[in-house]
Amino acid sequence: MTTSETPAAVGDRRVLRPAVLDLGDALLRPWGRALDVPGGVVPALVAAATDPDIARWNPLSATDPAAAEAYLDRCDAHWADGTMAAFAVTDAADGTLLGNAFLRWSNQADGVAMVGYWLLAAARGRGLATRAATAVTRWAVETAGARRIELFHAVGNDPSCRVAERAGFPYEGTLRASWRFEGRDYQDEHLHARLASDPFAAPARPA
């Protein structure tokens, strides 16, 4: 994985700055109004929000053009204040949207962050979620001083559990009734986490 960003200055350590992360066959590019994908970023985002698996496990507030535009504005605002890094996973050859990887501070002062991801159906089964989660985590450790990175997923989301383990996030426990998707009951979640001191290993393909 390569990045277009150099490490932050010491006084700026825990600010998430825009970057492009290169996975070889895919690029992680900052979400925002300026993102260029075939067919337009707003239609691509609306289409992703209607994917059944994304809607089930990672529902997006982007189910119509106005909501998608508001989502992109929030991404731009978070990049501007350095509190969250939302990356569109795009095909390196043609720029097609493949998915999403994000990291945000849970406790910025203490260096604790959380990471998440989703992929469109056509991009699944080739280890891309594992590689994207690994890349975003490594980037946050190396450029923003992340100390502990946590990963949560709903109990029953077995593919996400496998991604977490392959990306080096060991299971730490079950959080009971910890998250509520709109219109649903509270969900139990698995907590996975890794430390900055944990070794990074290149994930095998497919994953």
Side-chain angles (χ1 to χ4, degrees):
M1 183 272 292
T2 59
T3 175
S4 63
E5 185 187 59
T6 55
V10 172
D12 210 20
R13 281 296 291 167
R14 287 182 174 151
V15 176
L16 303 169
R17 299 299 189 192
V20 175
L21 310 184
D22 188 348
L23 304 185
D25 59 337
L27 297 176
L28 275 58
R29 298 156 57 199
W31 279 109
R33 290 276 191 163
L35 181 67
D36 181 27
V37 299
V41 64
V42 169
L45 189 52
V46 171
T50 64
D51 178 279
D53 285 326
I54 294 173
R56 181 182 182 189
W57 301 119
N58 300 279
L60 300 175
S61 301
T63 52
D64 60 67
E69 290 172 357
Y71 175 91
L72 295 171
D73 287 341
R74 289 195 298 273
C75 289
D76 280 332
H78 286 306
W79 278 116
D81 66 20
T83 58
M84 186 173 81
F87 293 94
V89 182
T90 61
D91 186 272
D94 62 15
T96 300
L97 180 66
L98 303 175
N100 172 75
F102 77 91
L103 182 141
R104 67 172 176 81
W105 293 116
S106 304
N107 186 330
Q108 188 172 12
D110 198 32
V112 181
M114 65 168 291
V115 67
Y117 42 80
W118 52 259
L119 291 179
L120 291 164
R124 297 168 193 156
R126 68 193 213 203
L128 190 53
T130 303
R131 291 184 285 131
T134 301
V136 170
T137 299
R138 184 193 292 269
W139 167 80
V141 168
E142 294 179 350
T143 71
R147 177 186 66 81
R148 173 181 164 87
I149 304 90
E150 298 173 335
L151 189 161
F152 303 86
H153 65 80
V155 172
N157 188 352
D158 294 334
S160 193
C161 197
R162 291 192 291 270
V163 168
E165 292 169 350
R166 289 166 176 160
F169 288 78
Y171 170 74
E172 291 193 347
T174 298
L175 308 177
R176 297 180 297 160
S178 65
W179 185 255
R180 186 178 190 180
F181 298 127
E182 185 176 355
R184 306 185 207 172
D185 292 334
Y186 282 97
Q187 304 286 307
D188 292 350
E189 291 186 294
H190 284 172
L191 166 62
H192 300 254
R194 63 171 297 141
L195 303 179
S197 56
D198 293 339
F200 285 97
R205 300 187 201 180

mmCIF file of all heavy atoms in Angstrom, residues 168-204:
data_model
loop_
_atom_site.group_PDB
_atom_site.id
_atom_site.type_symbol
_atom_site.label_atom_id
_atom_site.label_comp_id
_atom_site.label_asym_id
_atom_site.label_seq_id
_atom_site.Cartn_x
_atom_site.Cartn_y
_atom_site.Cartn_z
ATOM 1 N N GLY A 168 -6.317 -8.416 11.150
ATOM 2 C CA GLY A 168 -5.524 -8.346 12.367
ATOM 3 C C GLY A 168 -6.229 -7.708 13.540
ATOM 4 O O GLY A 168 -5.574 -7.172 14.447
ATOM 5 N N PHE A 169 -7.577 -7.782 13.560
ATOM 6 C CA PHE A 169 -8.369 -7.257 14.665
ATOM 7 C C PHE A 169 -8.936 -8.424 15.454
ATOM 8 O O PHE A 169 -9.998 -8.955 15.108
ATOM 9 C CB PHE A 169 -9.527 -6.399 14.147
ATOM 10 C CG PHE A 169 -9.137 -5.068 13.581
ATOM 11 C CD1 PHE A 169 -8.606 -4.964 12.306
ATOM 12 C CD2 PHE A 169 -9.314 -3.912 14.323
ATOM 13 C CE1 PHE A 169 -8.262 -3.734 11.773
ATOM 14 C CE2 PHE A 169 -8.974 -2.674 13.807
ATOM 15 C CZ PHE A 169 -8.431 -2.581 12.529
ATOM 16 N N PRO A 170 -8.287 -8.876 16.513
ATOM 17 C CA PRO A 170 -8.821 -10.005 17.282
ATOM 18 C C PRO A 170 -10.125 -9.643 17.985
ATOM 19 O O PRO A 170 -10.368 -8.490 18.342
ATOM 20 C CB PRO A 170 -7.711 -10.310 18.295
ATOM 21 C CG PRO A 170 -6.913 -9.055 18.384
ATOM 22 C CD PRO A 170 -6.998 -8.400 17.049
ATOM 23 N N TYR A 171 -10.937 -10.649 18.177
ATOM 24 C CA TYR A 171 -12.219 -10.497 18.877
ATOM 25 C C TYR A 171 -11.962 -10.209 20.350
ATOM 26 O O TYR A 171 -11.168 -10.881 20.996
ATOM 27 C CB TYR A 171 -13.024 -11.783 18.716
ATOM 28 C CG TYR A 171 -14.259 -11.882 19.570
ATOM 29 C CD1 TYR A 171 -15.399 -11.142 19.280
ATOM 30 C CD2 TYR A 171 -14.281 -12.745 20.667
ATOM 31 C CE1 TYR A 171 -16.538 -11.247 20.067
ATOM 32 C CE2 TYR A 171 -15.420 -12.854 21.458
ATOM 33 C CZ TYR A 171 -16.540 -12.103 21.160
ATOM 34 O OH TYR A 171 -17.662 -12.215 21.942
ATOM 35 N N GLU A 172 -12.646 -9.195 20.886
ATOM 36 C CA GLU A 172 -12.466 -8.836 22.292
ATOM 37 C C GLU A 172 -13.719 -9.028 23.136
ATOM 38 O O GLU A 172 -13.627 -9.018 24.358
ATOM 39 C CB GLU A 172 -11.997 -7.378 22.411
ATOM 40 C CG GLU A 172 -10.588 -7.162 21.901
ATOM 41 C CD GLU A 172 -10.000 -5.819 22.296
ATOM 42 O OE1 GLU A 172 -10.762 -4.935 22.755
ATOM 43 O OE2 GLU A 172 -8.784 -5.639 22.149
ATOM 44 N N GLY A 173 -14.869 -9.201 22.508
ATOM 45 C CA GLY A 173 -16.066 -9.421 23.308
ATOM 46 C C GLY A 173 -17.333 -9.031 22.567
ATOM 47 O O GLY A 173 -17.292 -8.502 21.457
ATOM 48 N N THR A 174 -18.471 -9.299 23.203
ATOM 49 C CA THR A 174 -19.776 -8.968 22.648
ATOM 50 C C THR A 174 -20.391 -7.832 23.456
ATOM 51 O O THR A 174 -20.452 -7.898 24.687
ATOM 52 C CB THR A 174 -20.717 -10.184 22.665
ATOM 53 O OG1 THR A 174 -20.154 -11.217 21.848
ATOM 54 C CG2 THR A 174 -22.098 -9.822 22.143
ATOM 55 N N LEU A 175 -20.820 -6.798 22.753
ATOM 56 C CA LEU A 175 -21.470 -5.653 23.370
ATOM 57 C C LEU A 175 -22.975 -5.834 23.212
ATOM 58 O O LEU A 175 -23.491 -5.852 22.094
ATOM 59 C CB LEU A 175 -21.017 -4.358 22.696
ATOM 60 C CG LEU A 175 -19.507 -4.150 22.596
ATOM 61 C CD1 LEU A 175 -19.195 -2.873 21.834
ATOM 62 C CD2 LEU A 175 -18.887 -4.108 23.987
ATOM 63 N N ARG A 176 -23.675 -5.990 24.311
ATOM 64 C CA ARG A 176 -25.099 -6.288 24.256
ATOM 65 C C ARG A 176 -25.924 -5.027 23.992
ATOM 66 O O ARG A 176 -25.714 -4.004 24.631
ATOM 67 C CB ARG A 176 -25.545 -6.957 25.553
ATOM 68 C CG ARG A 176 -24.875 -8.315 25.802
ATOM 69 C CD ARG A 176 -25.363 -8.932 27.099
ATOM 70 N NE ARG A 176 -24.995 -8.096 28.236
ATOM 71 C CZ ARG A 176 -25.588 -8.163 29.431
ATOM 72 N NH1 ARG A 176 -26.585 -9.017 29.629
ATOM 73 N NH2 ARG A 176 -25.187 -7.385 30.413
ATOM 74 N N ALA A 177 -26.849 -5.164 23.040
ATOM 75 C CA ALA A 177 -27.780 -4.074 22.713
ATOM 76 C C ALA A 177 -27.052 -2.732 22.596
ATOM 77 O O ALA A 177 -27.438 -1.729 23.183
ATOM 78 C CB ALA A 177 -28.884 -3.982 23.757
ATOM 79 N N SER A 178 -25.996 -2.727 21.799
ATOM 80 C CA SER A 178 -25.110 -1.562 21.774
ATOM 81 C C SER A 178 -25.385 -0.599 20.627
ATOM 82 O O SER A 178 -24.912 0.533 20.656
ATOM 83 C CB SER A 178 -23.660 -2.025 21.702
ATOM 84 O OG SER A 178 -23.413 -2.682 20.475
ATOM 85 N N TRP A 179 -26.129 -1.043 19.609
ATOM 86 C CA TRP A 179 -26.310 -0.171 18.450
ATOM 87 C C TRP A 179 -27.719 -0.340 17.907
ATOM 88 O O TRP A 179 -28.249 -1.445 17.873
ATOM 89 C CB TRP A 179 -25.307 -0.510 17.359
ATOM 90 C CG TRP A 179 -25.354 0.428 16.192
ATOM 91 C CD1 TRP A 179 -25.893 0.190 14.957
ATOM 92 C CD2 TRP A 179 -24.845 1.761 16.147
ATOM 93 N NE1 TRP A 179 -25.761 1.290 14.153
ATOM 94 C CE2 TRP A 179 -25.115 2.278 14.858
ATOM 95 C CE3 TRP A 179 -24.192 2.575 17.082
ATOM 96 C CZ2 TRP A 179 -24.754 3.565 14.470
ATOM 97 C CZ3 TRP A 179 -23.835 3.854 16.694
ATOM 98 C CH2 TRP A 179 -24.105 4.336 15.402
ATOM 99 N N ARG A 180 -28.296 0.748 17.471
ATOM 100 C CA ARG A 180 -29.649 0.692 16.930
ATOM 101 C C ARG A 180 -29.695 1.321 15.553
ATOM 102 O O ARG A 180 -29.447 2.519 15.399
ATOM 103 C CB ARG A 180 -30.626 1.428 17.852
ATOM 104 C CG ARG A 180 -32.086 1.277 17.427
ATOM 105 C CD ARG A 180 -33.003 1.988 18.391
ATOM 106 N NE ARG A 180 -34.401 1.666 18.134
ATOM 107 C CZ ARG A 180 -35.417 2.150 18.831
ATOM 108 N NH1 ARG A 180 -35.181 2.973 19.842
ATOM 109 N NH2 ARG A 180 -36.650 1.809 18.530
ATOM 110 N N PHE A 181 -29.975 0.508 14.540
ATOM 111 C CA PHE A 181 -30.226 1.035 13.219
ATOM 112 C C PHE A 181 -31.640 1.617 13.202
ATOM 113 O O PHE A 181 -32.533 1.165 13.912
ATOM 114 C CB PHE A 181 -30.112 -0.063 12.154
ATOM 115 C CG PHE A 181 -28.750 -0.666 12.070
ATOM 116 C CD1 PHE A 181 -28.578 -2.039 12.148
ATOM 117 C CD2 PHE A 181 -27.629 0.116 11.907
ATOM 118 C CE1 PHE A 181 -27.319 -2.616 12.057
ATOM 119 C CE2 PHE A 181 -26.366 -0.434 11.814
ATOM 120 C CZ PHE A 181 -26.207 -1.809 11.888
ATOM 121 N N GLU A 182 -31.832 2.616 12.383
ATOM 122 C CA GLU A 182 -33.134 3.286 12.326
ATOM 123 C C GLU A 182 -34.246 2.274 12.037
ATOM 124 O O GLU A 182 -34.172 1.479 11.103
ATOM 125 C CB GLU A 182 -33.112 4.358 11.241
ATOM 126 C CG GLU A 182 -34.383 5.181 11.184
ATOM 127 C CD GLU A 182 -34.303 6.299 10.170
ATOM 128 O OE1 GLU A 182 -33.220 6.484 9.575
ATOM 129 O OE2 GLU A 182 -35.321 6.964 9.973
ATOM 130 N N GLY A 183 -35.281 2.306 12.873
ATOM 131 C CA GLY A 183 -36.425 1.442 12.661
ATOM 132 C C GLY A 183 -36.245 0.021 13.147
ATOM 133 O O GLY A 183 -37.111 -0.827 12.919
ATOM 134 N N ARG A 184 -35.149 -0.266 13.832
ATOM 135 C CA ARG A 184 -34.896 -1.619 14.312
ATOM 136 C C ARG A 184 -34.645 -1.602 15.816
ATOM 137 O O ARG A 184 -34.383 -0.554 16.408
ATOM 138 C CB ARG A 184 -33.680 -2.237 13.617
ATOM 139 C CG ARG A 184 -33.738 -2.224 12.104
ATOM 140 C CD ARG A 184 -32.543 -2.982 11.538
ATOM 141 N NE ARG A 184 -32.198 -2.502 10.210
ATOM 142 C CZ ARG A 184 -31.114 -2.885 9.551
ATOM 143 N NH1 ARG A 184 -30.286 -3.752 10.107
ATOM 144 N NH2 ARG A 184 -30.854 -2.406 8.353
ATOM 145 N N ASP A 185 -34.694 -2.794 16.408
ATOM 146 C CA ASP A 185 -34.337 -2.922 17.810
ATOM 147 C C ASP A 185 -32.824 -2.772 17.970
ATOM 148 O O ASP A 185 -32.061 -2.860 17.007
ATOM 149 C CB ASP A 185 -34.769 -4.293 18.350
ATOM 150 C CG ASP A 185 -36.282 -4.425 18.419
ATOM 151 O OD1 ASP A 185 -36.963 -3.389 18.541
ATOM 152 O OD2 ASP A 185 -36.767 -5.568 18.334
ATOM 153 N N TYR A 186 -32.389 -2.584 19.206
ATOM 154 C CA TYR A 186 -30.954 -2.527 19.484
ATOM 155 C C TYR A 186 -30.302 -3.861 19.128
ATOM 156 O O TYR A 186 -30.870 -4.932 19.367
ATOM 157 C CB TYR A 186 -30.701 -2.198 20.950
ATOM 158 C CG TYR A 186 -30.880 -0.735 21.261
ATOM 159 C CD1 TYR A 186 -32.080 -0.251 21.782
ATOM 160 C CD2 TYR A 186 -29.847 0.175 21.017
ATOM 161 C CE1 TYR A 186 -32.250 1.093 22.060
ATOM 162 C CE2 TYR A 186 -30.007 1.513 21.304
ATOM 163 C CZ TYR A 186 -31.206 1.975 21.818
ATOM 164 O OH TYR A 186 -31.372 3.307 22.076
ATOM 165 N N GLN A 187 -29.111 -3.766 18.553
ATOM 166 C CA GLN A 187 -28.381 -4.933 18.081
ATOM 167 C C GLN A 187 -27.184 -5.225 18.988
ATOM 168 O O GLN A 187 -26.503 -4.303 19.446
ATOM 169 C CB GLN A 187 -27.853 -4.694 16.657
ATOM 170 C CG GLN A 187 -28.923 -4.315 15.650
ATOM 171 C CD GLN A 187 -29.784 -5.495 15.275
ATOM 172 O OE1 GLN A 187 -29.283 -6.545 14.869
ATOM 173 N NE2 GLN A 187 -31.093 -5.330 15.402
ATOM 174 N N ASP A 188 -26.920 -6.518 19.227
ATOM 175 C CA ASP A 188 -25.655 -6.911 19.845
ATOM 176 C C ASP A 188 -24.549 -6.764 18.801
ATOM 177 O O ASP A 188 -24.757 -6.996 17.606
ATOM 178 C CB ASP A 188 -25.698 -8.364 20.313
ATOM 179 C CG ASP A 188 -26.663 -8.586 21.470
ATOM 180 O OD1 ASP A 188 -27.161 -7.598 22.034
ATOM 181 O OD2 ASP A 188 -26.914 -9.759 21.786
ATOM 182 N N GLU A 189 -23.368 -6.399 19.269
ATOM 183 C CA GLU A 189 -22.231 -6.239 18.365
ATOM 184 C C GLU A 189 -21.013 -6.984 18.896
ATOM 185 O O GLU A 189 -20.832 -7.113 20.098
ATOM 186 C CB GLU A 189 -21.863 -4.761 18.211
ATOM 187 C CG GLU A 189 -22.876 -3.924 17.469
ATOM 188 C CD GLU A 189 -22.353 -2.524 17.236
ATOM 189 O OE1 GLU A 189 -22.168 -1.798 18.234
ATOM 190 O OE2 GLU A 189 -22.103 -2.161 16.093
ATOM 191 N N HIS A 190 -20.187 -7.427 17.972
ATOM 192 C CA HIS A 190 -18.863 -7.923 18.324
ATOM 193 C C HIS A 190 -17.879 -6.759 18.294
ATOM 194 O O HIS A 190 -17.934 -5.914 17.398
ATOM 195 C CB HIS A 190 -18.384 -8.981 17.331
ATOM 196 C CG HIS A 190 -19.026 -10.314 17.528
ATOM 197 N ND1 HIS A 190 -18.850 -11.362 16.646
ATOM 198 C CD2 HIS A 190 -19.839 -10.791 18.511
ATOM 199 C CE1 HIS A 190 -19.528 -12.408 17.069
ATOM 200 N NE2 HIS A 190 -20.131 -12.086 18.197
ATOM 201 N N LEU A 191 -16.992 -6.736 19.268
ATOM 202 C CA LEU A 191 -15.910 -5.760 19.304
ATOM 203 C C LEU A 191 -14.615 -6.467 18.953
ATOM 204 O O LEU A 191 -14.243 -7.468 19.575
ATOM 205 C CB LEU A 191 -15.792 -5.131 20.696
ATOM 206 C CG LEU A 191 -14.505 -4.338 20.985
ATOM 207 C CD1 LEU A 191 -14.373 -3.139 20.052
ATOM 208 C CD2 LEU A 191 -14.458 -3.887 22.443
ATOM 209 N N HIS A 192 -13.935 -5.954 17.931
ATOM 210 C CA HIS A 192 -12.575 -6.367 17.579
ATOM 211 C C HIS A 192 -11.687 -5.131 17.726
ATOM 212 O O HIS A 192 -12.156 -4.002 17.556
ATOM 213 C CB HIS A 192 -12.494 -6.853 16.132
ATOM 214 C CG HIS A 192 -13.360 -8.024 15.808
ATOM 215 N ND1 HIS A 192 -12.852 -9.286 15.620
ATOM 216 C CD2 HIS A 192 -14.708 -8.127 15.632
ATOM 217 C CE1 HIS A 192 -13.841 -10.118 15.326
ATOM 218 N NE2 HIS A 192 -14.982 -9.439 15.329
ATOM 219 N N ALA A 193 -10.422 -5.307 18.018
ATOM 220 C CA ALA A 193 -9.533 -4.156 18.138
ATOM 221 C C ALA A 193 -8.092 -4.582 17.900
ATOM 222 O O ALA A 193 -7.724 -5.743 18.076
ATOM 223 C CB ALA A 193 -9.657 -3.507 19.520
ATOM 224 N N ARG A 194 -7.291 -3.615 17.481
ATOM 225 C CA ARG A 194 -5.857 -3.838 17.376
ATOM 226 C C ARG A 194 -5.145 -2.591 17.876
ATOM 227 O O ARG A 194 -5.716 -1.491 17.920
ATOM 228 C CB ARG A 194 -5.445 -4.162 15.948
ATOM 229 C CG ARG A 194 -5.695 -3.068 14.917
ATOM 230 C CD ARG A 194 -5.052 -3.408 13.581
ATOM 231 N NE ARG A 194 -3.614 -3.480 13.722
ATOM 232 C CZ ARG A 194 -2.830 -4.373 13.125
ATOM 233 N NH1 ARG A 194 -3.337 -5.281 12.334
ATOM 234 N NH2 ARG A 194 -1.524 -4.360 13.311
ATOM 235 N N LEU A 195 -3.908 -2.775 18.283
ATOM 236 C CA LEU A 195 -3.074 -1.688 18.774
ATOM 237 C C LEU A 195 -2.067 -1.285 17.714
ATOM 238 O O LEU A 195 -1.719 -2.086 16.829
ATOM 239 C CB LEU A 195 -2.339 -2.113 20.046
ATOM 240 C CG LEU A 195 -3.210 -2.585 21.210
ATOM 241 C CD1 LEU A 195 -2.315 -3.000 22.377
ATOM 242 C CD2 LEU A 195 -4.205 -1.518 21.639
ATOM 243 N N ALA A 196 -1.576 -0.073 17.827
ATOM 244 C CA ALA A 196 -0.560 0.396 16.890
ATOM 245 C C ALA A 196 0.678 -0.494 16.917
ATOM 246 O O ALA A 196 1.372 -0.639 15.909
ATOM 247 C CB ALA A 196 -0.177 1.835 17.213
ATOM 248 N N SER A 197 0.933 -1.112 18.063
ATOM 249 C CA SER A 197 2.114 -1.966 18.203
ATOM 250 C C SER A 197 1.924 -3.360 17.615
ATOM 251 O O SER A 197 2.890 -4.117 17.496
ATOM 252 C CB SER A 197 2.483 -2.090 19.684
ATOM 253 O OG SER A 197 1.387 -2.575 20.436
ATOM 254 N N ASP A 198 0.693 -3.726 17.249
ATOM 255 C CA ASP A 198 0.467 -5.031 16.638
ATOM 256 C C ASP A 198 1.065 -5.044 15.229
ATOM 257 O O ASP A 198 0.932 -4.063 14.491
ATOM 258 C CB ASP A 198 -1.033 -5.336 16.547
ATOM 259 C CG ASP A 198 -1.667 -5.519 17.916
ATOM 260 O OD1 ASP A 198 -0.930 -5.802 18.868
ATOM 261 O OD2 ASP A 198 -2.902 -5.383 18.011
ATOM 262 N N PRO A 199 1.690 -6.146 14.827
ATOM 263 C CA PRO A 199 2.308 -6.190 13.500
ATOM 264 C C PRO A 199 1.257 -6.213 12.398
ATOM 265 O O PRO A 199 0.187 -6.805 12.549
ATOM 266 C CB PRO A 199 3.125 -7.481 13.528
ATOM 267 C CG PRO A 199 2.434 -8.334 14.537
ATOM 268 C CD PRO A 199 1.907 -7.395 15.586
ATOM 269 N N PHE A 200 1.578 -5.556 11.303
ATOM 270 C CA PHE A 200 0.725 -5.605 10.121
ATOM 271 C C PHE A 200 1.209 -6.722 9.211
ATOM 272 O O PHE A 200 2.405 -6.853 8.951
ATOM 273 C CB PHE A 200 0.783 -4.282 9.348
ATOM 274 C CG PHE A 200 0.012 -3.174 9.999
ATOM 275 C CD1 PHE A 200 0.660 -2.252 10.815
ATOM 276 C CD2 PHE A 200 -1.346 -3.031 9.788
ATOM 277 C CE1 PHE A 200 -0.039 -1.222 11.429
ATOM 278 C CE2 PHE A 200 -2.056 -2.006 10.392
ATOM 279 C CZ PHE A 200 -1.408 -1.102 11.213
ATOM 280 N N ALA A 201 0.275 -7.510 8.737
ATOM 281 C CA ALA A 201 0.605 -8.571 7.786
ATOM 282 C C ALA A 201 -0.199 -8.343 6.519
ATOM 283 O O ALA A 201 -1.377 -7.980 6.577
ATOM 284 C CB ALA A 201 0.292 -9.940 8.379
ATOM 285 N N ALA A 202 0.430 -8.556 5.380
ATOM 286 C CA ALA A 202 -0.281 -8.411 4.113
ATOM 287 C C ALA A 202 -1.333 -9.493 4.005
ATOM 288 O O ALA A 202 -1.020 -10.674 4.105
ATOM 289 C CB ALA A 202 0.693 -8.494 2.942
ATOM 290 N N PRO A 203 -2.618 -9.135 3.845
ATOM 291 C CA PRO A 203 -3.667 -10.139 3.741
ATOM 292 C C PRO A 203 -3.568 -10.934 2.452
ATOM 293 O O PRO A 203 -3.224 -10.412 1.403
ATOM 294 C CB PRO A 203 -4.959 -9.309 3.775
ATOM 295 C CG PRO A 203 -4.561 -7.970 3.255
ATOM 296 C CD PRO A 203 -3.146 -7.768 3.715
ATOM 297 N N ALA A 204 -3.856 -12.229 2.557
ATOM 298 C CA ALA A 204 -3.857 -13.072 1.376
ATOM 299 C C ALA A 204 -5.125 -12.839 0.582
ATOM 300 O O ALA A 204 -6.128 -12.376 1.075
ATOM 301 C CB ALA A 204 -3.758 -14.544 1.795
#
